[in-house]
Amino acid sequence: MNLYYEIHRLNRLGFNKSQIERKVGVHRDTVRKYLTMDFEDMVQWTHSLQNRKKKLDHYETTIVDWLKEHPDLSAAQVEDWLLEEYPKLNIGSSTVRSFVTDLRDRYSLPKQKQVRQYEAIPEVEMGEQIQVDWGEIWQETVTNEKVKLYFICFVLGHSRYKYVEWLDRPFKTTDAIRCHEQAFRFFGGITKEIMYDQDNIIAVHENAGDLLLTHEFKSYQQTRGFEVYLCRAADPETKGKIERVVGYVKTNFAKNRRYNGLDDWNEKCRAWLDRTGNHKVHGTTKKRPDSVFLLEKAHLKPVSPLKSKEISFDASITAKIGKDNTIRFKGNRYSVPLGTYQTVGSNEVILSVHDQELVILNDLSGEEITRHSISLEKGKLIKKRNHGRDRSKTIKKYREAMIHLFEDEQRAAFFIDKVIASHKRYARDQFLVLEKAIQDFPEVRETTLEKCIVEKLWSANDFRDVAAYIASQKPPTIRQTTLEEPLTSLNPSTPPITVSTRSINEYTKLLGGETR
């Protein structure tokens, strides 16, 4: 009625419908409707609204109880709970929203809101990407206790079709791999790329773009053949879709729901995916994920059942390098080369036991840092002699010296860096061979350098062989000294020596001959 009075007041003052619409904040059709109604018509219509039966009146008590018990309950979650309790109920989302808003006003039940900022993420093509992330939440049980639950979410980047699985303990790498297989079966295929957060279940860390995956997951990824995209730390914009899915699972499915065992919880979650998570119209795409999924499924790469023997999970564990460049294993300390510990970045390594030897790996592709015989004693420091000095500085100086042996230092640096990258453990040996080759064939060193770069021969041995071949194809160049060219003394400071000359007769007498 207040709105009715205000619209008519502004109309009497001479405002047109568009101006009234902007001032009172209602649609022009509402303004037009109220202007055509006199006072008695408005009273009767208002009275009919208050007494008109609504489709959800029968469920009012239930919904009010939910809102009182859970003030942060959303209208979308109310709708899902109604569909769960009354599967045959046919109701629209807008009807539920309107009814819940009216109940909050009438019963003074304001909604508690949590504000979170998101940024738009570019769309991906069909079958291009799956996004994966983990979440956790404290849940109230049917016996009024609190349990912590953990879940993993998968979402197809294009259709937003989702898969969720729960555990009542933290995830391990083997759990993550099993859930991947479950998700692939649920989707009916696999995408070219899978995006992950920097979770220590699958990744140690991302070192300037170099992914360091855990050993088990690296084996699994190579077996399945998908590409891994690891998001930067603290970068929710990159993985916006999966971030929203994690929040959606927490707020729409798990929030305020009672936990009654893991099997029951997972079963209810799958039912929620069918009726709500994958069925409700998506707010961004304005389409139902299960409908778009029917098209995207044809773009997924089929996956065959995974045989356990296809993945070789070595018995390995992770450890951290201490500031003293040692790692701890079964009560003892084992050394790594001085300088292995870094003040910035991850200092995690992989420990693997083979034939009573402890093998320490610095990345998960299998590159070895060092190995030690396992000590049966306790409290010992097992250290190698060559772990007491920093070899990286020697390599750096040797590299600079090698570069200065060439005229084209820029191309020489490129070639030498390639040699070091290809022979990390034998860099010094490579330098010795390269230095010897340059000493033996100095006249062809630049030609050999260019040939090795063009042919991509990143080895000092190849450089030596190419230099020897090129040198053998050139004719020897011998410097001819003419008779007219004066001989230069080896020691310019020595004064010239004058030699006396004698006649031939004197030499004849000395030899006992005769002069004719």
Side-chain angles (χ1 to χ4, degrees):
M1 292 299 294
N2 290 335
L3 182 61
Y4 172 82
Y5 286 132
E6 181 65 15
I7 290 175
H8 277 270
R9 186 184 70 83
L10 293 173
N11 183 60
R12 287 194 300 271
L13 292 174
F15 289 91
N16 60 35
K17 295 181 179 65
S18 298
Q19 292 171 328
I20 296 173
E21 174 190 0
R22 288 192 293 272
K23 281 188 171 292
V24 300
V26 297
H27 197 271
R28 188 183 303 179
D29 291 341
T30 303
V31 175
R32 186 181 297 109
K33 177 181 177 181
Y34 283 13
L35 288 175
T36 57
M37 298 172 66
D38 57 22
F39 180 75
E40 292 182 358
D41 292 337
M42 186 64 185
V43 171
Q44 291 178 3
W45 183 68
T46 305
H47 182 73
S48 67
L49 288 178
Q50 295 175 351
N51 296 279
R52 185 176 63 180
K53 289 186 177 181
K54 298 179 181 178
K55 197 170 184 179
L56 291 175
D57 283 343
H58 180 69
Y59 310 97
E60 178 175 332
T61 304
T62 302
I63 297 175
V64 169
D65 290 341
W66 289 345
L67 296 176
K68 287 180 178 179
E69 185 178 359
H70 312 294
D72 53 353
L73 201 63
S74 66
Q77 201 171 6
V78 169
E79 180 183 356
D80 179 66
W81 287 16
L82 287 171
L83 294 175
E84 183 177 17
E85 294 290 333
Y86 312 99
K88 295 183 179 181
L89 179 63
N90 185 14
I91 196 72
S93 299
S94 59
T95 302
V96 178
R97 285 196 299 270
S98 177
F99 190 75
V100 171
T101 302
D102 179 62
L103 290 181
R104 287 191 180 279
D105 290 339
R106 285 197 283 123
Y107 289 90
S108 299
L109 299 171
K111 182 181 178 183
Q112 296 178 356
K113 294 183 179 180
Q114 294 179 348
V115 180
R116 184 171 184 178
Q117 300 295 328
Y118 293 99
E119 184 176 335
I121 304 298
E123 295 297 323
V124 297
E125 297 297 326
M126 289 189 178
E128 191 71 26
Q129 185 186 81
I130 293 175
Q131 293 189 11
V132 183
D133 202 1
W134 287 260
E136 56 187 53
I137 191 171
W138 282 97
Q139 205 69 31
E140 189 171 354
T141 68
V142 292
T143 56
N144 296 324
E145 297 176 345
K146 288 284 188 178
V147 295
K148 194 172 186 180
L149 299 178
Y150 305 81
F151 62 98
I152 184 172
C153 295
F154 299 78
V155 59
L156 287 169
H158 183 84
S159 64
R160 301 334 197 255
Y161 199 67
K162 295 167 278 292
Y163 176 76
V164 183
E165 189 162 333
W166 294 79
L167 284 180
D168 54 3
R169 55 172 174 76
F171 275 80
K172 298 179 181 178
T173 304
T174 51
D175 298 321
I177 292 173
R178 178 183 55 78
C179 291
H180 275 69
E181 291 300 301
Q182 293 281 80
F184 297 154
R185 282 194 289 270
F186 184 78
F187 293 145
I190 187 174
T191 55
K192 298 177 183 178
E193 178 184 79
I194 301 182
M195 178 187 288
Y196 299 92
D197 193 3
Q198 293 203 26
D199 195 289
N200 57 13
I201 295 172
I202 63 127
V204 176
H205 75 293
E206 183 184 22
N207 183 17
D210 295 327
L211 305 184
L212 300 181
L213 302 178
T214 58
H215 187 62
E216 290 178 335
F217 197 84
K218 181 71 174 178
S219 300
Y220 175 69
Q221 181 253 335
Q222 291 176 344
T223 301
R224 276 305 186 201
F226 56 83
E227 298 176 8
V228 171
Y229 184 100
L230 201 63
C231 297
R232 295 194 188 105
D235 185 19
E237 290 80 14
T238 306
K239 50 186 187 341
K241 299 181 185 71
I242 191 62
E243 283 283 289
R244 293 187 182 94
V245 172
V246 170
Y248 188 37
V249 171
K250 288 182 177 180
T251 58
N252 194 285
F253 168 71
K255 196 172 185 179
N256 303 317
R257 191 183 291 270
R258 295 295 187 98
Y259 176 77
N260 191 24
L262 188 61
D263 293 339
D264 175 75
W265 190 258
N266 273 307
E267 185 178 348
K268 286 183 177 178
C269 187
R270 284 190 289 270
W272 171 82
L273 286 172
D274 290 338
R275 69 172 177 270
T276 300
N278 289 326
H279 184 68
K280 301 298 295 183
V281 175
H282 194 274
T284 302
T285 64
K286 306 303 180 186
K287 299 175 182 177
R288 299 183 188 275
D290 51 7
S291 298
V292 184
F293 170 71
L294 296 177
L295 300 175
E296 186 172 18
K297 187 175 181 179
H299 296 265
L300 299 178
K301 183 175 69 173
V303 289
S304 58
L306 191 66
K307 299 176 181 178
S308 58
K309 65 181 181 180
E310 290 178 337
I311 308 177
S312 56
F313 296 144
D314 295 337
S316 58
I317 59 174
T318 59
K320 282 197 173 184
I321 303 172
K323 292 182 179 180
D324 57 353
N325 286 283
T326 63
I327 61 96
R328 295 182 179 274
F329 179 73
K330 291 188 176 180
N332 293 315
R333 291 182 298 151
Y334 294 84
S335 67
V336 295
L338 191 67
T340 305
Y341 173 83
Q342 302 294 322
T343 56
V344 178
S346 173
N347 284 294
E348 291 201 28
V349 292
I350 300 299
L351 307 181
S352 186
V353 178
H354 297 287
D355 299 328
Q356 297 303 311
E357 271 195 326
L358 178 65
V359 182
I360 305 175
L361 310 174
N362 72 341
D363 69 27
L364 305 170
S365 62
E367 184 178 348
E368 182 179 315
I369 295 177
T370 188
R371 60 175 61 203
H372 294 275
S373 296
I374 296 176
S375 174
L376 299 179
E377 300 180 77
K378 300 293 182 182
K380 296 292 183 179
L381 171 63
I382 294 88
K383 183 177 181 180
K384 291 186 176 180
R385 289 185 179 180
N386 59 353
H387 289 177
R389 58 189 179 91
D390 190 351
R391 296 167 175 259
S392 61
K393 294 181 180 179
T394 307
I395 291 290
K396 186 177 180 180
K397 292 180 180 178
Y398 215 153
R399 172 186 176 276
E400 293 174 355
M402 288 291 100
I403 292 173
H404 293 324
L405 294 178
F406 294 89
E407 293 180 4
D408 190 347
E409 293 188 357
Q410 184 176 359
R411 296 185 70 78
F414 174 78
F415 171 74
I416 290 171
D417 287 343
K418 288 289 187 179
V419 171
I420 295 173
S422 302
H423 305 79
K424 292 180 181 179
R425 296 178 58 192
Y426 303 95
R428 291 176 183 77
D429 297 331
Q430 289 285 307
F431 287 153
L432 291 173
V433 174
L434 184 61
E435 185 178 20
K436 182 68 166 56
I438 294 173
Q439 291 174 355
D440 292 343
F441 310 103
E443 66 278 0
V444 297
R445 66 182 186 276
E446 301 298 325
T447 307
T448 305
L449 175 65
E450 185 64 25
K451 184 69 174 177
C452 287
I453 293 176
V454 172
E455 299 295 334
K456 298 182 178 180
L457 303 174
W458 315 125
S459 169
N461 294 315
D462 292 334
F463 183 96
R464 176 198 59 202
D465 296 339
V466 172
Y469 176 79
I470 294 176
S472 67
Q473 301 303 307
K474 290 189 175 183
T477 56
I478 302 176
R479 185 168 176 265
Q480 301 292 334
T481 303
T482 61
L483 294 176
E484 291 78 17
E485 184 177 354
L487 294 174
T488 304
S489 172
L490 295 176
N491 190 352
S493 62
T494 305
I497 300 174
T498 304
V499 181
S500 60
T501 58
R502 297 181 183 183
S503 66
I504 191 66
N505 293 332
E506 293 182 20
Y507 288 100
T508 304
K509 291 180 181 180
L510 291 173
L511 295 174
E514 295 181 355
T515 303
R516 291 183 182 181

